[in-house]
Amino acid sequence: MKHLFTLLWAAALLCGCTSSDDDGGGKTPGGGGDDGDARRVASIETVSYWYDSYNEQLVEDDRFTRKFVYDDQGRVSQMLMTDFSGPDSWDMHDDFTVRFTYDGTHIAYESVGQVAPDIFKSSAELDEKGRIVSGLADSYIKDTDREVVEYTVSYDDAGRMAEVRTDATNYNYDSGSDQTNTYSYADIHEFVWENGNSTKVISRSVGDDSSSSWVGRASYGRVRNKANFDLSWLTLLSAGWTFIDTPLYYCSPGLFTLLGYHGTRSEYLPERVEEDGVPDSVCTFEYEVDKEGYPTKIIGRSNEKSADLSLHLFVVYNITYEE
């Protein structure tokens, strides 16, 4: 669904900033807390599953690892994408690297060296507080499909992300007619915050030929969102409560969320995420933490129609930290 893809990208834009009541965000996105003392994520392994309703069994769908390298300022300089396996890994034949560049208020990254013909680039402009206010994402498969997304972000007085607008154009090459077809759409996402957490997103699509709206909700537990990355958005986007693409799949523009360039972050991690009016959209999350309270495993379950709760599993994130 288009709105799911668009939401996934937005959530991905929001990760990693440590909250600050007076400056609207962390001091070093992707590099730690307000004092730079948050433990830094070293790697995230993602294992995804799908439920085979015919055989009533859980099937591993994909498995891959992202390893993060930091520069001398504590910013992510590289993301190494490794260890692909599973039936959906056919288009990722070798490891590849995502490289980040920083130039004043301009940040960018792109994939480098992958064998598959997919290309991913994303760039953004920052305000005086180091938050993204506008950006451009460009992803394409050579000679076939391409999507270009422009987006703008606004914040409330507390420095929290209040609204994101995305304007996208898809280009699809039709080999039969030897021509490229285009399709454009726009989405607006408004965020509601309660008790220090982002609890609601109100999204609507706008365009000449169609319009729709949907509402996502999230409730939170007592596991603190304390790593240098904003892991709350890792779970929100996994459940479809986001607005561009997941931050760990390929090298989507959602990585900027993971790195903390979207203002104040939620204080805790979500336990339940759902879309209004869609009973099967409910996703729940469990966390394993180390002795310091840092999440080391996130277990996501969907609302599959089965009495066996083990069959509801749809994603597991295994997280390691630098020593």
Side-chain angles (χ1 to χ4, degrees), residues 7-187:
L7 277 176
L8 284 170
W9 188 66
L13 290 167
L14 291 164
C15 284
C17 243
T18 300
S19 62
S20 173
D21 292 337
D22 58 358
D23 70 0
K27 303 293 177 61
T28 309
D34 285 341
D35 299 321
D37 58 355
R39 292 182 64 189
R40 301 197 303 202
V41 172
S43 69
I44 302 177
E45 180 193 47
T46 303
V47 187
S48 60
Y49 302 85
W50 64 280
Y51 175 58
D52 182 349
S53 58
Y54 181 79
N55 294 305
E56 294 191 345
Q57 63 180 2
L58 197 67
V59 179
E60 183 175 317
D61 191 38
D62 213 359
R63 180 185 295 262
F64 51 88
T65 300
R66 304 294 187 265
K67 299 178 181 179
F68 299 92
V69 178
Y70 297 87
D71 65 15
D72 58 5
Q73 297 184 47
R75 304 171 302 190
V76 172
S77 60
Q78 296 183 64
M79 183 178 76
L80 311 178
M81 308 175 73
T82 66
D83 303 330
F84 298 110
S85 64
D88 282 351
S89 62
W90 61 271
D91 55 351
M92 304 180 191
H93 301 293
D94 275 344
D95 302 347
F96 63 93
T97 300
V98 179
R99 291 181 180 167
F100 297 80
T101 58
Y102 303 87
D103 184 10
T105 60
H106 181 80
I107 56 176
Y109 63 81
E110 66 177 298
S111 55
V112 178
Q114 76 267 40
V115 180
D118 303 356
I119 304 297
F120 301 89
K121 300 178 181 180
S122 189
S123 61
E125 297 298 325
L126 309 179
D127 66 9
E128 70 280 0
K129 295 181 179 179
R131 305 172 303 194
I132 286 179
V133 291
S134 63
L136 174 69
D138 188 357
S139 60
Y140 58 91
I141 301 174
K142 293 178 181 178
D143 302 325
T144 55
D145 299 287
R146 182 181 186 183
E147 180 170 64
V148 178
V149 181
E150 296 181 76
Y151 58 93
T152 57
V153 186
S154 61
Y155 302 87
D156 64 17
D157 292 341
R160 303 170 303 198
M161 187 170 68
E163 181 180 281
V164 176
R165 180 186 174 99
T166 62
D167 293 276
T169 301
N170 286 318
Y171 303 88
N172 179 259
Y173 175 69
D174 185 345
S175 58
S177 61
D178 193 27
Q179 65 181 14
T180 299
N181 302 313
T182 63
Y183 169 70
S184 298
Y185 61 90
D187 294 289

Side-chain angles (χ1 to χ4, degrees), residues 246-267:
T246 62
L248 297 181
Y249 184 66
Y250 292 107
C251 59
S252 77
L255 277 172
F256 285 138
T257 28
L258 190 64
L259 302 184
Y261 289 96
H262 283 258
T264 302
R265 65 195 261 179
S266 292
E267 184 176 355

